[in-house]
């Protein structure tokens, strides 16, 4: 029997494909890329057309050796990596590294891992697309040149350990610019007037068509309305349609999963990758909203059978994203009939979201009736507007309702109105004049930042999630956090029973949760790069580079010429920056502490931003809180930072101290350190709460036990750590993927995890025995 070797990127994908191909085929995983640029050198020959110098990393040599042996004994080798540029590059690297004979090598692509798709791909192989490979090489080389030449400058000019990147630095600038826009914004008060009317026994709300700038203007309006008469001035009704949203692209999936399921973009992509590799959805990195004719047909069958023919409306959507590839498909279920799947809760929820969105896109529009009633006031020229929306036919809304961004203003509650006629008198039961404030632009959340990146053409679907992860977790230039906002005392008015009354309440302005906030290092890096490398930090320049990559992929540009045109002026600026002896740092006088008359100064130090007052032995210092930056730190906020460390009380004869370190607030009780969880204020935490945290931490540490399972021949141990199970091999620790059950791990699975993973950071600190 002829022996066929199929090579894919991941073990999960290999397992699914093996199931469909059966005997005669051996499906193996390369565990991603098998070679790359060297870690500690530029690894690019600039003089020889920017030729990359690839190496096989030490952890991949075993995999390469095994694949080479299998290839030598196989009649045909099928390269089945993903169908995008990265996948094409993986297949090319396999061809080059394994020394594959072109005569017996086939390239196959598919956008879903189903039996029909795999068998069709095998029947229709193609050769490697070197245009796609070169587009990927161009991105890799350009990103290496930018990172390798800019990062050392940041080390010299700001502090050691910093890095820059072609896409990440521009995305960072987006967040920093937005933060400054918010800080420069001055909220202005205004008065919003809303009346509650009685119509045929029902209470409905109407909004006045004018805002008032001051309390006195609002008071004058309400006083004029004492004893006023109201009547229906006009009634306007219009039929309307609500169209279903298109099927998911990578960007819209990430945004909607964040809104509806509250998933970070990295989690969404990890779960989607798993669903794809299990053959449940199509390829999850796409900017196309196109659906195959088969998907449209099966959706029509399902909708007609389950909802009725009137709910079916087959359609195709035009992709508006620049450079989108219409030949690709949107993210959809591989089989519409699969309404439920097995897996984790995250697997099930994300699949349901994809399934509903796909089916809804093929359903009829919703028919609605929009009604607006204008109410006249006999004593004033202003009018009230009462809005109503009635769903006449639910269409796609029977299945799916698209979530709205938290940045969008809503038009008010949808209310069902009784029938009224022009001239009909109305009774105003209540009129409220509430003080509100104009809003600054909203900070970016992960999903709205991705939306902005897509809008500006920065990056591509495969780079959205990794870019945000790099900025937040790897670099620490951004943090995900909350802003408490500013509390303002306001005066509100109410007209009821012919009397105008006044009340005082506290409004919070600018409070936001779960948003991306720049750190001081992020601000400093952005300012330096924007000043010294304005071209690279320009949004249009970054988008145009992506267009160049698209041109390379289409065979219309040569990749090394594109790099050459970029590199010459860029390198000149690098040389200028190195010869310039200006250095960037942050230091700002905040103000005088009213308690002791000492000046408070904020600085950026080796371990982050901090405030200091006094000098020498008597100096005091305190770290800034998460989300605070030196640029807009107030004196009140700075003074409050000196309230830590704080002695809460005693426990087992030792003081319990609430303090703050490099990684956030924590408790210190003798030699025992315990993190204070998010949401607990170290300035307000009680002794009872502290004792509970200390006791719980003791129980956790005592639960760390001997290995749960061992494989002596492989030198692998499964350890029950304080943060959950992990693998230990050769003195290194390896995380177990979240979608893998530790209890059922086999030796082969452990080897695969170790081969594809990297040792966990801080292992000596995390697993050190007391």
């Amino acid at each position: 029997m002829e022996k066929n070797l199929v090579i894919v990127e991941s073990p999960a994908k290999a397992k699914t494909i093996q199931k469909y191909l059966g005997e005669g085929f051996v499906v193996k995983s390369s565990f991603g890329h098998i070679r790359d640029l060297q870690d500690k050198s530029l690894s690019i020959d600039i003089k020889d057309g920017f030729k990359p110098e690839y190496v096989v990393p030490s952890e991949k040599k075993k995999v390469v050796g095994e694949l080479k042996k299998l290839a030598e004994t196989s009649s045909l080798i099928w390269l089945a990596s993903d169908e995008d540029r990265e996948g094409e590059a993986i297949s090319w690297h396999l061809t080059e590294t394994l020394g594959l004979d072109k005569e017996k090598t086939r390239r196959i692509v598919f956008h879903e891992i189903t039996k029909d798709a795999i068998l069709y791909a095998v029947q229709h192989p193609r050769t490697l697309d070197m245009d796609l490979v070169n587009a990927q090489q161009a991105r890799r080389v350009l990103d290496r040149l930018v990172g390798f030449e800019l990062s050392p400058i940041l080390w010299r000019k700001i502090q050691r350990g910093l890095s820059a990147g072609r896409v990440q630095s521009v995305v960072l600038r987006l967040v920093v610019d937005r933060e400054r826009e918010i800080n420069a914004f001055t909220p202005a008060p205004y008065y919003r007037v809303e009346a509650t009317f009685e119509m045929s026994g029902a209470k409905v709300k109407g909004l006045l068509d004018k805002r008032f700038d001051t309390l006195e203007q609002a008071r004058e309006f309400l006083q004029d309305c004492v004893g006023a008469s109201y009547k229906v001035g006009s009634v306007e009704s219009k039929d309307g349609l609500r169209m279903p949203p298109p099927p998911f692209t990578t960007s819209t999936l990430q945004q909607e999963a964040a809104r509806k399921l509250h998933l970070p973009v990295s989690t969404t992509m990890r779960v989607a990758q798993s669903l794809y590799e299990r053959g449940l959805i199509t390829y999850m990195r796409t900017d196309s909203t196109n659906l195959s004719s088969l998907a449209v047909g099966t959706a029509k069958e399902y909708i007609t059978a389950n909802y009725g023919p009137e709910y079916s409306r087959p359609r195709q959507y035009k992709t508006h994203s620049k450079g989108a590839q219409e030949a690709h498909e949107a993210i959809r279920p591989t089989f519409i009939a699969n309404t439920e799947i097995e897996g984790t809760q995250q697997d099930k929820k994300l699949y349901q979201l994809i399934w509903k969105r796909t089916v809804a896109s093929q359903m009829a529009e919703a028919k609605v009736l929009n009604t607006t009633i204008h109410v006249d006031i006999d004593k004033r020229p202003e009018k009230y507007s009462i809005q109503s929306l009635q769903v006449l036919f639910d269409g796609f809304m029977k299945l799916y309702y698209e979530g709205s961004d938290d940045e969008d203003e809503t038009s008010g509650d949808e209310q069902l109105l009784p029938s009224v006629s022009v001239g009909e008198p109305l009774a105003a039961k209540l009129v409220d004049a509430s003080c509100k404030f104009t809003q600054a632009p909203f900070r970016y959340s992960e999903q709205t930042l991705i939306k902005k990146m897509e809008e500006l053409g920065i990056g591509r679907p495969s780079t959205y999630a990794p870019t945000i992860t790099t900025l937040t977790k790897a670099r620490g230039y951004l943090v995900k956090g909350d802003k408490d906002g500013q509390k303002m005392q306001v005066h509100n008015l109410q007209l009821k029973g012919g009397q105008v009354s006044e009340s005082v309440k506290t409004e919070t302005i600018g409070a936001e949760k779960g948003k991306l906030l720049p750190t001081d290092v992020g601000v400093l890096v952005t300012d330096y790069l924007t000043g010294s490398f304005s071209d690279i930090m320009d949004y249009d320049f970054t988008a145009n580079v992506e267009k160049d990559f698209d041109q390379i992929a289409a065979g219309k540009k040569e990749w090394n010429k594109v790099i050459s045109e970029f590199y010459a002026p860029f390198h000149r600026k690098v040389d200028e920056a190195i010869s310039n002896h200006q250095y960037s740092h942050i230091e700002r006088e905040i103000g005088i502490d009213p308690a002791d008359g000492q000046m408070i100064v904020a600085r950026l130090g080796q371990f982050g931003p901090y405030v200091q007052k006094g000098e020498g032995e008597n100096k005091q210092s305190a770290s800034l809180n998460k989300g605070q930056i030196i640029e807009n730190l107030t004196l009140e906020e700075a003074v409050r930072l000196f309230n830590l460390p704080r002695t809460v009380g005693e426990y087992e004869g030792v003081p319990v101290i609430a303090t703050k370190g490099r990684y956030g607030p924590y408790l210190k009780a003798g030699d025992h350190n315990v993190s204070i969880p998010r949401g607990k204020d170290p300035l307000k935490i009680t002794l009872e709460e502290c004792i509970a945290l200390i006791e719980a931490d003791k129980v956790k540490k005592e639960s760390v036990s001997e290995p749960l399972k061992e494989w002596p021949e492989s030198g692998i141990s499964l350890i029950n750590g304080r943060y959950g199970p992990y693998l230990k091999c050769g003195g290194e620790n390896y995380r177990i993927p979240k979608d893998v059950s530790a209890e059922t791990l086999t030796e082969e699975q452990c080897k695969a995890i170790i081969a594809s993973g990297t040792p966990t950071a801080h292992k000596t600190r995390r697993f050190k025995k007391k």
Side-chain angles (χ1 to χ4, degrees):
M1 182 183 288
E2 197 175 66
K3 188 178 178 183
N4 293 267
L5 172 64
V6 181
I7 307 176
V8 297
E9 306 100 310
S10 75
K13 188 176 177 182
K15 185 179 178 182
T16 308
I17 294 175
Q18 182 72 72
K19 180 174 64 177
Y20 295 134
L21 290 176
E23 289 185 18
F25 287 85
V26 175
V27 187
K28 290 293 180 180
S29 169
S30 68
F31 297 95
H33 277 280
I34 59 165
R35 68 175 186 173
D36 199 359
L37 301 176
Q38 296 181 55
D39 281 340
K40 296 181 180 179
S41 67
L42 180 60
S43 205
I44 296 166
D45 191 339
I46 294 170
K47 294 179 181 178
D48 188 14
F50 299 91
K51 184 180 178 182
E53 298 168 359
Y54 295 112
V55 294
V56 177
S58 56
E59 67 270 16
K60 286 299 179 77
K61 287 182 177 176
K62 185 178 178 183
V63 172
V64 169
E66 290 174 351
L67 290 175
K68 190 172 282 190
K69 283 181 183 177
L70 287 168
E72 287 170 356
T73 58
S74 298
S75 305
L76 285 175
I77 296 94
W78 304 81
L79 301 174
S81 51
D82 291 336
E83 61 171 341
D84 56 13
R85 296 172 194 173
E86 205 68 34
E88 203 71 17
I90 287 174
S91 284
W92 177 71
H93 283 300
L94 284 165
T95 302
E96 296 287 305
T97 308
L98 303 181
L100 300 181
D101 182 352
K102 290 184 180 180
E103 293 300 317
K104 65 172 193 174
T105 303
R106 307 285 185 270
R107 172 75 170 119
I108 55 173
V109 293
F110 37 82
H111 59 266
E112 61 181 51
I113 306 176
T114 60
K115 187 172 184 178
D116 286 346
I118 300 301
L119 295 180
Y120 182 86
V122 169
Q123 291 163 10
H124 299 82
R126 63 168 173 78
T127 57
L128 277 170
D129 187 334
M130 287 308 297
D131 291 330
L132 291 181
V133 173
N134 289 334
Q136 189 274 343
Q137 283 200 107
R139 177 188 292 278
R140 187 75 184 93
V141 168
L142 187 58
D143 288 348
R144 170 56 67 94
L145 289 169
V146 171
F148 206 83
E149 298 208 1
L150 280 190
S151 298
I153 296 175
L154 297 181
W155 285 42
R156 290 185 186 192
K157 304 295 183 180
I158 302 176
Q159 72 178 34
R160 291 182 64 80
L162 300 181
S163 71
R166 182 183 59 85
V167 174
Q168 75 178 48
S169 297
V170 177
V171 175
L172 175 61
R173 181 190 170 189
L174 277 172
V175 180
V176 171
D177 284 353
R178 176 60 59 89
E179 191 69 24
R180 285 184 167 147
E181 196 179 347
I182 292 166
N183 293 334
F185 183 86
T186 303
Y190 67 89
Y191 279 82
R192 180 180 186 270
V193 181
E194 189 176 61
T196 303
F197 296 100
E198 192 170 275
M199 290 183 177
S200 304
K203 290 182 178 180
V204 295
K205 290 185 176 181
L207 184 66
L208 195 71
D209 62 3
K210 181 179 179 180
R211 291 176 171 182
F212 299 107
D213 296 329
T214 67
L215 176 65
E216 294 314 312
Q217 289 174 352
R219 192 191 305 278
E220 182 185 346
F221 173 79
L222 262 60
Q223 289 289 0
D224 287 351
C225 290
V226 173
S229 296
Y230 303 87
K231 67 176 182 180
V232 176
S234 64
V235 180
E236 299 171 7
S237 293
K238 286 184 179 179
D239 289 331
L241 293 176
R242 286 198 174 181
M243 303 298 292
F248 282 130
T249 61
T250 303
S251 169
T252 55
L253 175 64
Q254 290 169 345
Q255 293 171 50
E256 194 75 342
R259 282 194 293 258
K260 287 191 169 181
L261 307 181
H262 308 292
L263 293 180
V265 292
S266 56
T267 302
T268 297
M269 293 311 292
R270 177 178 56 79
V271 176
Q273 177 92 32
S274 171
L275 295 176
Y276 166 69
E277 290 176 348
R278 289 169 58 192
L280 298 171
I281 64 170
T282 52
Y283 193 51
M284 67 287 155
R285 292 189 181 92
T286 177
D287 45 19
S288 172
T289 53
N290 192 44
L291 290 177
S292 68
S293 56
L294 179 62
V296 172
T298 54
K300 178 182 178 181
E301 290 174 11
Y302 181 89
I303 294 163
T304 303
N306 289 275
Y307 301 108
E310 69 276 17
Y311 280 90
S312 175
R313 169 69 168 82
R315 60 169 71 78
Q316 282 289 5
Y317 292 83
K318 179 69 178 172
T319 302
H320 297 290
S321 176
K322 296 173 184 177
Q325 301 174 65
E326 293 292 348
H328 292 177
E329 271 202 87
I331 304 168
R332 62 163 176 82
T334 50
F335 298 103
I336 299 295
N338 290 343
T339 57
E340 302 284 342
I341 64 163
E342 294 181 356
T344 66
Q345 283 302 307
Q346 286 182 341
D347 291 344
K348 292 176 180 179
K349 286 179 179 179
L350 192 66
Y351 180 82
Q352 268 292 300
L353 190 66
I354 295 167
W355 185 90
K356 285 183 177 181
R357 178 85 164 215
T358 305
V359 176
S361 75
Q362 301 303 303
M363 293 178 74
E365 311 87 64
K367 296 177 182 177
V368 297
L369 181 67
N370 293 299
T371 301
T372 301
I373 298 174
H374 294 292
V375 178
D376 296 336
I377 314 166
D378 65 344
K379 293 186 176 184
R380 295 281 300 201
E382 294 88 359
K383 297 177 184 292
Y384 284 101
S385 177
I386 301 171
Q387 302 287 338
S388 165
L389 182 140
Q390 183 181 356
V391 177
L392 304 176
F393 174 64
D394 54 4
F396 77 94
M397 291 170 64
K398 192 176 191 73
L399 178 66
Y400 186 85
Y401 185 78
E402 188 176 19
S404 61
D405 288 331
D406 53 6
E407 286 80 355
D408 294 338
E409 286 192 13
T410 57
S411 57
D413 294 333
E414 294 172 352
Q415 48 191 341
L416 194 59
L417 301 180
S419 178
V420 292
S421 56
V422 175
E424 184 176 325
L426 298 175
K429 295 298 182 183
L430 190 71
V431 181
D432 282 308
S434 304
C435 183
K436 304 293 180 184
F437 290 84
T438 53
Q439 285 187 316
F442 287 91
R443 289 178 174 86
Y444 289 110
S445 58
E446 286 189 348
Q447 66 265 32
T448 55
L449 183 58
I450 284 172
K451 188 176 182 181
K452 189 68 176 178
M453 289 169 66
E454 185 179 39
E455 180 186 311
L456 295 176
I458 298 171
R460 281 293 181 261
S462 60
T463 64
Y464 297 149
T467 298
I468 293 175
T469 300
T470 297
L471 289 169
T472 52
K473 295 181 180 177
R475 304 291 176 237
Y477 294 160
L478 299 178
V479 293
K480 190 175 179 180
D482 305 335
K483 278 288 184 181
D484 294 335
Q486 182 183 1
K487 295 187 183 301
M488 301 282 285
Q489 199 175 68
V490 299
H491 293 258
N492 293 334
L493 301 173
Q494 187 178 83
L495 170 60
K496 185 178 182 181
Q499 297 291 322
V500 176
S501 60
E502 185 174 330
S503 61
V504 179
K505 67 175 289 190
T506 300
E507 283 278 333
T508 302
I509 307 167
E512 294 185 87
K513 288 190 174 183
K515 295 302 177 73
L516 294 170
L517 311 168
T519 62
D520 281 293
V521 175
V523 171
L524 198 54
V525 166
T526 296
D527 286 347
Y528 178 77
L529 292 177
T530 304
S532 302
F533 297 90
S534 55
D535 286 351
I536 286 182
M537 297 296 282
D538 182 76
Y539 301 134
D540 288 338
F541 169 80
T542 310
N544 288 332
V545 169
E546 295 295 343
K547 291 177 185 175
D548 285 337
F549 293 155
D550 292 340
Q551 292 282 297
I552 295 166
K556 296 178 181 178
K557 283 192 175 182
E558 291 183 37
W559 76 270
N560 42 12
K561 283 188 179 179
V562 169
I563 301 297
S564 179
E565 289 168 6
F566 162 83
Y567 184 72
F570 167 68
H571 189 66
R572 279 197 300 271
K573 287 194 175 184
V574 169
D575 288 339
E576 289 171 11
I578 291 172
S579 60
N580 188 323
H581 295 294
Q582 288 184 338
Y583 296 88
S584 295
H585 68 284
I586 298 179
E587 184 171 308
R588 174 177 163 238
E589 288 188 349
I590 305 298
I592 303 294
D593 187 339
D596 55 23
Q598 294 191 83
M599 172 62 73
I600 298 176
V601 180
R603 297 188 179 98
L604 180 62
Q606 183 182 356
F607 301 111
Y610 69 98
V611 286
Q612 179 183 311
K613 62 178 177 177
E615 297 294 337
E617 294 180 359
N618 296 322
K619 73 177 180 183
Q620 290 178 269
S621 61
S623 300
L624 269 61
N625 289 324
K626 183 179 178 181
Q628 290 181 325
I629 55 176
I630 292 171
E631 189 172 296
N632 57 8
L633 188 71
T634 66
L635 178 60
E636 182 185 359
E637 291 169 334
V639 168
R640 205 179 302 135
L641 293 170
F642 288 104
N643 292 337
L644 293 176
R646 162 184 166 242
T647 301
V648 184
E650 279 196 8
Y651 170 64
E652 294 184 346
V654 295
V656 177
I657 299 167
T659 186
K660 189 170 56 175
R662 187 179 176 187
Y663 300 103
Y666 69 98
L667 298 173
K668 189 170 183 64
D671 294 332
H672 203 84
N673 295 334
V674 185
S675 295
I676 296 175
R678 186 179 177 183
K680 292 280 185 187
D681 187 345
L683 294 172
K684 296 177 182 176
I685 193 167
T686 65
L687 181 60
E688 289 74 20
E689 290 173 320
C690 292
I691 292 171
L693 288 171
I694 293 167
E695 291 287 359
D697 192 63
K698 281 184 177 180
V699 171
K700 263 188 183 179
K701 287 177 178 175
E702 288 166 1
S703 69
V704 179
S705 62
E706 291 300 309
L708 298 172
K709 202 183 291 186
E710 290 184 287
W711 293 273
E713 289 185 10
S714 306
I716 301 172
S717 301
L718 175 63
I719 308 292
N720 182 27
R722 61 182 294 200
Y723 298 101
Y726 65 94
L727 295 176
K728 194 173 189 71
C729 181
E732 303 282 8
N733 302 318
Y734 298 85
R735 290 189 182 93
I736 297 171
K738 290 181 180 179
D739 57 349
V740 175
S741 170
E743 290 78 11
T744 59
L745 270 176
T746 64
E747 185 175 3
E748 288 305 311
Q749 285 177 306
C750 292
K751 288 179 179 178
I753 291 169
I754 291 166
S756 61
T758 53
T760 57
H762 312 302
K763 58 182 180 297
T764 54
R765 182 169 169 262
R766 179 173 171 180
F767 301 112
K768 185 177 178 182
K769 291 185 178 180
K770 295 278 184 182

